[in-house]
Amino acid sequence: MSWTVDEVTMNSSVRVVSWAIALCASLLAYGQVSPSTNVTTVATDLLDASHILHFLDVVDAFGHVSARNPDNASQFIMSFAIAPALATSQDLVTYEIDNATAIQLTFNTSVTGVAVPAGFVERYIHSQIYNAFPEVTAVVHAHTTNVISFAAVGVGLKAQMGVAGSVGALTNGTPIFDYDALPVDILPEDAPHNLLVGNVPLGDALAGTFQNGSAVVLMKGHGMAVQGTSVRDVVYRAYYTMENANVQSMATLLGALTPGASAPAGLSARDASDSAISDEGESLLDRAWALWTGQVDQVPLYINDLRS
């Protein structure tokens, strides 16, 4: 059988297209289609964030950090239910913000829907903050004990130092989310009163507690929720919220024990706002991140397989 040049070219093209289709199908079947560079970059920071928050004692076996999907603002990425220190790329899940529904494993797209391992019960903290605040691109929820003590006595945090400017200088301090004060249409009497934000109405109630002038909400008997403009920013804010609580606790104690001293007023609203802008600039966040990733890299427990 003889072939013309055009026929050979056409058949070669068909074979190439068929091979490409088969390859794509094979890659999809094995979950090897790589996420975009944007998603991979955010996911790399997200794994570092989980490890750093544990290293800095902001979280322990519980707590979580998430990021809005940079390629799709109606989605967010966080690990399924696993201790933050142990998270790797294979634990990351892409969720719809709508009802915090699992779509797929971010780095294994063959695992979808109900096949995705169980997520955090409180992923609705994240979904509903993203839903309420389009400008927010990262969220931390932590059970940091020295922060819980402030909510326990009904005292909000106020920025005591420049690096904690995002805590704010609201008159009554950071707002406090009080689970027991929720109306019955949000928390029915026959529902579990376990402090967990485990559905959309509870997540909306928490998101609605945020106030302009503070990136933090304290959660009575529970912990805190922190919103940020990037993964690195929200980790910075969560860490220095914890440190600010230490300073405010000590200042309050010193004020009570020192004759003539007053309770700590904290920074002015102008000082807090301007400090947040200056101290959360990219160069300073990168400086902190370089230190923190350098520290977690020295600990074998933490594995960021996207970076190493």
Side-chain angles (χ1 to χ4, degrees):
M1 180 181 294
S2 61
W3 298 86
T4 66
V5 172
D6 287 343
E7 287 173 330
V8 170
T9 301
M10 181 181 68
N11 278 277
S12 297
S13 298
V14 168
R15 285 196 299 273
V16 169
V17 171
S18 298
W19 175 83
I21 292 172
L23 176 61
C24 287
S26 176
L27 290 174
L28 282 168
Y30 287 95
Q32 298 301 314
V33 174
S34 298
S36 71
T37 300
N38 288 338
V39 168
T40 301
T41 298
V42 166
T44 302
D45 275 359
L46 200 54
L47 293 179
D48 280 334
S50 292
H51 304 157
I52 289 166
L53 288 168
H54 179 262
F55 180 84
L56 296 176
D57 291 327
V58 179
V59 302
D60 51 11
F62 307 99
H64 20 84
V65 56
S66 69
R68 195 185 290 270
N69 185 343
D71 290 344
N72 187 334
S74 68
Q75 300 173 357
F76 68 100
I77 302 168
M78 68 186 302
S79 73
F80 54 67
I82 188 173
L86 304 180
T88 70
S89 67
Q90 297 308 299
D91 307 317
L92 296 179
V93 181
T94 302
Y95 290 94
E96 292 283 4
I97 288 176
D98 183 18
N99 204 37
T101 303
I103 302 171
Q104 63 191 26
L105 291 182
T106 308
F107 288 87
N108 186 350
T109 55
S110 66
V111 180
T112 62
V114 296
V116 173
F120 291 106
V121 171
E122 293 194 291
R123 62 189 182 277
Y124 298 93
I125 293 174
H126 303 256
S127 65
Q128 301 318 111
I129 289 175
Y130 291 128
N131 186 61
F133 302 99
E135 72 280 7
V136 171
T137 59
V139 174
V140 164
H141 170 55
H143 306 142
T144 317
T145 53
N146 58 350
V147 170
I148 294 174
S149 62
F150 280 87
V153 296
V155 175
L157 294 173
K158 295 183 180 182
Q160 305 294 321
M161 50 188 180
V163 287
S166 62
V167 169
L170 299 175
T171 301
N172 295 320
T174 49
I176 298 173
F177 177 69
D178 188 346
Y179 204 84
D180 285 337
L182 293 172
V184 294
D185 60 326
I186 295 175
L187 183 63
E189 286 296 331
D190 59 351
H193 286 228
N194 56 10
L195 304 181
L196 298 178
V197 181
N199 58 42
V200 168
L202 289 170
D204 285 338
L206 172 63
T209 308
F210 280 93
Q211 295 180 18
N212 289 335
S214 179
V216 181
V217 163
L218 305 188
M219 303 168 70
K220 184 178 179 181
H222 192 163
M224 65 178 175
V226 184
Q227 52 179 242
T229 60
S230 70
V231 173
R232 297 184 181 193
D233 182 56
V234 81
V235 170
Y236 180 97
R237 289 178 173 183
Y239 173 65
Y240 282 110
T241 296
M242 178 182 73
E243 292 297 282
N244 190 85
N246 290 333
V247 173
Q248 190 167 334
S249 294
M250 185 58 67
T252 301
L253 178 61
L254 288 172
L257 295 177
T258 305
S262 59
L267 304 183
S268 69
R270 172 69 183 273
D271 288 349
S273 176
D274 286 0
S275 293
I277 293 171
S278 298
D279 293 345
E280 295 178 25
E282 185 176 355
S283 64
L284 294 186
L285 290 179
D286 288 349
R287 185 192 305 176
W289 204 256
L291 170 64
W292 293 335
T293 53
Q295 289 172 318
V296 298
D297 281 349
Q298 302 304 310
V299 182
L301 173 66
Y302 308 121
I303 299 173
N304 188 338
D305 52 323
L306 295 179
R307 192 160 50 77
S308 59

